[in-house]
């Protein structure tokens, strides 16, 4: 297998790369152990919005991955930093399936349906699920009509489960944008803010870092646009037709994350 001389760091997606429905994919635990033994600085970067960093770390550690909370960077945690910087003190109506309030420290949150007329400054949209009812989406729409800004943790259209693909935020967000005549500010992958935060978290530079993901556009090509080496894995949401029709070419393509140590020459 071809080898590359990356001496800096690695950013690694979780869902579809290391696990599916939080169950380890074949060979991924052993591969992570090899990367740890080699001393490669790494961070797990995910648009997952259904679990906090602490819960993700506990779940992965329970499955055998040598991972702690400090190794994980989520779309909610990056969103919190973005809101604190750009909208300090704002009242934020949260529409998200899953409780990630712990990772939104320093942000004033209200449920999307609870805000009284005119008292919501920002609508924050997380991951889709049962919380994305007509009533909740309509409440978000009304806040936007009254002038609230729209922040999206990501705009992934779907994600992989053990039973197949499920709809995600990207299947609903364009409707909100079109109806309210606004454009969402995206904070998770593939936003520049996410990758900038991830590199700063590791103290790494883009030219010496690689990004491993199963989403060719959001994970791999987006990272490459910021100077990061892109590695696509043929697991998770990977589809040959999506690969063929992509807007660019990954730097490297692997059958799975289990092949990464060999690629790195470790």
């Amino acid at each position: 297998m071809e080898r590359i001389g990356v001496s800096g760091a690695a950013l690694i997606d979780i869902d579809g790369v290391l696990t599916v429905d939080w169950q380890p994919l074949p060979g991924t635990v052993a591969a992570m152990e090899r990367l740890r033994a080699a001393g490669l600085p790494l961070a797990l970067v995910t648009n997952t919005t259904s679990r906090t960093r602490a819960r993700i770390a506990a779940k992965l550690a329970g499955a055998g991955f040598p991972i702690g909370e400090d190794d994980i960077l989520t779309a909610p945690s990056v969103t919190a930093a973005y809101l604190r910087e750009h909208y300090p003190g704002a009242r934020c109506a949260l529409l998200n399936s899953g409780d990630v309030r712990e990772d939104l420290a320093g942000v004033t949150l209200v449920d999307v349906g609870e805000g009284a007329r005119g008292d919501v400054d920002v609508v924050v949209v997380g991951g889709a699920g049962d919380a994305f009812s007509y009533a909740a989406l309509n409440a978000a729409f009304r806040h936007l009509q009254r002038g609230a800004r729209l922040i999206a943790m990501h705009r992934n259209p779907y994600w992989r489960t053990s039973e197949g693909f499920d709809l995600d935020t990207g299947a609903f967000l364009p409707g909100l944008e079109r109806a309210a005549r606004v454009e969402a500010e995206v904070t998770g992958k593939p936003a520049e803010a996410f990758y900038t935060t991830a590199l700063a978290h590791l103290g790494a530079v883009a030219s010496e870092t690689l990004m491993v993901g199963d989403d060719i556009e959001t994970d791999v090509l987006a990272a490459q646009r910021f100077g990061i080496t892109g590695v696509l894995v043929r697991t998770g949401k990977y589809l040959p037709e999506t690969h063929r029709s992509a807007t660019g070419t990954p730097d490297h393509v692997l059958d799975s994350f289990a092949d990464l140590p060999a690629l790195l020459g470790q």
Side-chain angles (χ1 to χ4, degrees), residues 4-39:
I4 56 177
V6 175
S7 58
L11 305 176
I12 303 164
D13 186 31
I14 299 175
D15 190 35
V17 175
L18 301 179
T19 66
V20 169
D21 275 354
W22 302 102
Q23 298 302 309
L25 290 166
T28 57
V29 172
M32 183 65 73
E33 290 172 343
R34 290 182 64 187
L35 297 182
R36 284 300 203 193

